[in-house]
Amino acid sequence: MATFRERALAVASSRSSGRFCVEQGPISTYFGQNVFTVETMRKYLPAKAFTAVLEARQNGLKIERAIADEIASGMKTWAMERGATHFTHLFQPLTGATAEKHEAFVVPGDNGIAMEQFRGAALVQQEPDASSFPSGGLRNTFEARGYTAWDSTSPVFVLDGTLCIPSVFVSYNGEALDMKLPSLRSIHSIDKAATRVAAYFDPSVTSVKVNIGLEQEYFLVDEALYNSRPDLQLCGRTVIGHTSAKDQQLEDHYFGAIPSRVIAFMKDFETEAYKLGIPLHTRHNEVAPGQFECAPIFSEITQAIDQNMLLMIVMQKVAEKHELKVILHEKPFNGINGSGKHCNWSLCTDGGVNLLSPGKTADGKLRFLSFYSCVLKALAEHNHLLMASVCSLGNTWRLGGNEAPPAILSVFSGSTLAKVFEAILKMESVDWESGAKSISIVGSIPEIILDNTDRNRTSPFAFTGNRFEFRALGSSANPASATFVLNSIVSDSLSLFADKVDKLLADGEEKEKAILTVIREFLEAARPIMFEGNGYSREWQEESARRGLRSVGNAAEAFHAFQEDSSVKVLTSTGVLSKGEIEARVEVMEETFVKKLQIEARVMGDICLNHIIPAAISYQNVLARNLKACSDIFGDEAPSLSKAAAKSFREISTLVNSLSDGITDLVETRKKANRVENMSERAIRYSTEVMQRMSKVREAADRLEMLVDDACWPLPKYRELLSL
Ligand code: ADP
Ligand code: MG
């Protein structure tokens, strides 16, 4: 009888050629058709309601109940025309995923007749019985109410017959239980601070927004193969598996021709994404076999984050039709690249000026340097916090390995800018030749650095011409965690910048000189995180330690960065998180870390005991029969004739025993760790003792994979999983 693996392989190979994909015609004809855009709103809402939504979006004004009823009614009409029967608030709880609870529009009327109804109250607020979401103690279970409230800055849309309403998730007392609320707060904070600084250069600036572009990496695996790997199914990654003889050494997959089966999937999910208004722009093969990337054109941050969360859902839904599984985990396969979510981040004024773009004029360049130095200063001070914001169990397996960014933060500016900074730093604070020299340095920044930035792929935070690219985010993560921290620390630094400049101006300093003085001070403070070299090198590890930069190699330890005084100060003073919310978040992160690792360790034990050891032993039986037959037939000659079989038998015995002992040890270690009451301590135990045991077990299992007859190996191997 064929093994499970053989059957799965047969199924997978039968569909390795291209699949159907629905051709849709020009994208512009259906782009955004499932979104309640401003244009659609204009058609479906009475004038007063339309204005109310726009004002709520722009100025955060509250929408009155009566108006909300009108908005809801228009939305319902539109959504029903698009086939919607239900609505849901779509929120982003601390699990990192999205959550939804659908409710039907239908209500029973008189005489058994039903009718559709959607009230303003339901649009504005929903009260899901959300007591099972992690809250880190912010909600007592007896007071388990959590509310979702419509975020009117993000448009509603229809997905699979449901009207989805982007929402924040808050506790009864208004504390953030999600990723969205801190994100909105951080946008508000950086808007205020950045506007202050931007106004030195253009007093007409009234607001500054954050733009981000998120590059999404992912793996694709055939569904049949995925279903025969319990680890992929339950953990999203392989907990055992020997590397393939050929994986990414030749880098022949990177930017290679996209396999036909994959392109069919890509076209289909892109179509769905376009209908939802997600402006996908690029698609390509990534470095690892089976790995791909897509990226939309950047947009305003709330939209970009909401769309990224939606994109991850859409990709997975569409993949089902293609009998594929999208793997969003940060490190699904050992030994080859993991997946990230590069976050391209910039600031833009209401007049459309990119504040991270070195302008044409000396004034524009000074503005650029002001913002740039504020980002650097923020990172120098809070680099550990920023790195902690991307920490998770999944990212632990990725950071610092195979071309993933190092687990230490540094900023790459490119040689041109680095030279400019050096020149500015070398100037004596008093002997500025009345500013002339400094201005000429500022003026010498080339207009388009974009083309000059030598793209340093080893830096977790690189300047790429008119934006920063933060590359340490995990592929499955809600990007809000990293961006609300980034917005918060930069906001703080911009406020400080403005305070300092204002003080100098009040003391009678000339504007340009005042600004340059603070730029210099900030650049000086930022020296430790500026690094232009190879972030993967051993020298950098030593050098970064000398500079006092901390690694987030251990996520369980890194989470505590949120609780350090400087972090609490910056997050609370910018209004992004309260002290209580920080505590709660750390607890949730630790608990999630422990639970996920516990599942991984259990799955590992299960696979070894139920799949690998039995396979190894049955192969040993084959070897034993061979050895016996050899000795029966050849007598004294047998040992030399059956040397290979005997060697295999011995090696397998040793490995099976060490695997079995390793599992026992792992279970014991886990049990002991589970008895530790304090969650922080338990997480540390898991991150050290449990993880160490897991890698020992894995080593034995992976070596067995090389020794046991391929025909009786129970799980699809890397070379099979990674070929599409
Ligand atoms: P690469 O892989 O070469 O870094 P991609 O084209 O895959 O580049 O992705 C770059 C991302 O950066 C896109 O989402 C793009 O829209 C975004 N981007 C470009 N300019 C800006 C900007 N000023 N601010 C934020 N994001 C930007
Ligand atoms: Mg890219």
Side-chain angles (χ1 to χ4, degrees), residues 215 255 282 284 286 293 295 342 457 469:
E215 301 166 47
F255 285 179
T282 59
H284 60 83
E286 255 306 322
E293 183 190 297
H342 295 180
R457 290 280 166 201
E469 185 174 341

Side-chain angles (χ1 to χ4, degrees), residues 523-553:
L523 288 179
E524 189 62 55
R527 271 187 197 278
I529 46 118
M530 295 194 213
F531 179 63
E532 301 295 310
N534 177 1
Y536 297 153
S537 65
R538 174 155 292 280
E539 294 82 66
W540 172 236
Q541 282 196 359
E542 288 158 12
E543 168 68 16
S544 57
R546 264 197 300 280
R547 295 186 187 188
L549 299 173
R550 286 179 284 168
S551 155
V552 291

Side-chain angles (χ1 to χ4, degrees), residues 569-587:
K569 189 158 166 270
V570 73
L571 291 169
T572 55
S573 69
T574 50
V576 173
L577 287 175
S578 69
K579 189 139 195 293
E581 287 170 336
I582 294 172
E583 296 298 330
R585 234 152 257 259
V586 171
E587 199 179 310

Side-chain angles (χ1 to χ4, degrees), residues 133-173:
F133 285 109
S135 72
L138 281 180
R139 279 177 296 128
N140 295 321
T141 10
F142 63 84
E143 185 43 284
R145 272 181 290 176
Y147 295 95
T148 54
W150 176 32
D151 165 20
S152 59
T153 63
S154 192
V156 303
F157 56 89
V158 171
L159 180 66
D160 286 347
T162 300
L163 173 69
C164 299
I165 304 157
S167 298
V168 296
F169 181 37
V170 292
S171 76
Y172 184 64
N173 298 322

Side-chain angles (χ1 to χ4, degrees), residues 485-627:
V485 168
L486 181 59
N487 295 343
S488 164
I489 61 176
V490 175
S491 165
D492 183 59
S493 156
L494 286 164
S495 296
L496 185 68
F497 186 93
D499 288 347
K500 285 181 181 275
V501 171
D502 282 355
K503 168 126 201 343
L504 289 170
L505 294 179
D507 292 347
E509 185 63 281
E510 175 202 330
K511 188 174 96 178
E512 227 160 46
K513 257 178 111 178
I515 290 173
L516 252 174
T517 305
V518 187
I519 291 175
R520 271 187 89 238
E521 185 189 326
F522 277 26
L523 288 179
E524 189 62 55
R527 271 187 197 278
I529 46 118
M530 295 194 213
F531 179 63
E532 301 295 310
N534 177 1
Y536 297 153
S537 65
R538 174 155 292 280
E539 294 82 66
W540 172 236
Q541 282 196 359
E542 288 158 12
E543 168 68 16
S544 57
R546 264 197 300 280
R547 295 186 187 188
L549 299 173
R550 286 179 284 168
S551 155
V552 291
N554 181 333
E557 274 170 16
F559 296 146
H560 294 289
F562 276 88
Q563 293 160 311
E564 287 172 17
D565 288 347
S566 59
S567 307
V568 174
K569 189 158 166 270
V570 73
L571 291 169
T572 55
S573 69
T574 50
V576 173
L577 287 175
S578 69
K579 189 139 195 293
E581 287 170 336
I582 294 172
E583 296 298 330
R585 234 152 257 259
V586 171
E587 199 179 310
V588 171
M589 288 192 282
E590 287 169 344
E591 200 176 321
T592 311
F593 181 90
V594 167
K595 282 185 179 161
K596 285 194 171 167
L597 196 52
Q598 186 171 38
I599 295 170
E600 290 193 359
R602 282 184 181 158
V603 169
M604 183 175 243
D606 175 38
I607 289 182
C608 291
L609 295 178
N610 301 315
H611 299 246
I612 295 180
I613 294 181
I617 290 177
S618 35
Y619 180 50
Q620 277 191 314
N621 289 338
V622 173
L623 293 172
R625 281 198 295 278
N626 172 284
L627 289 166

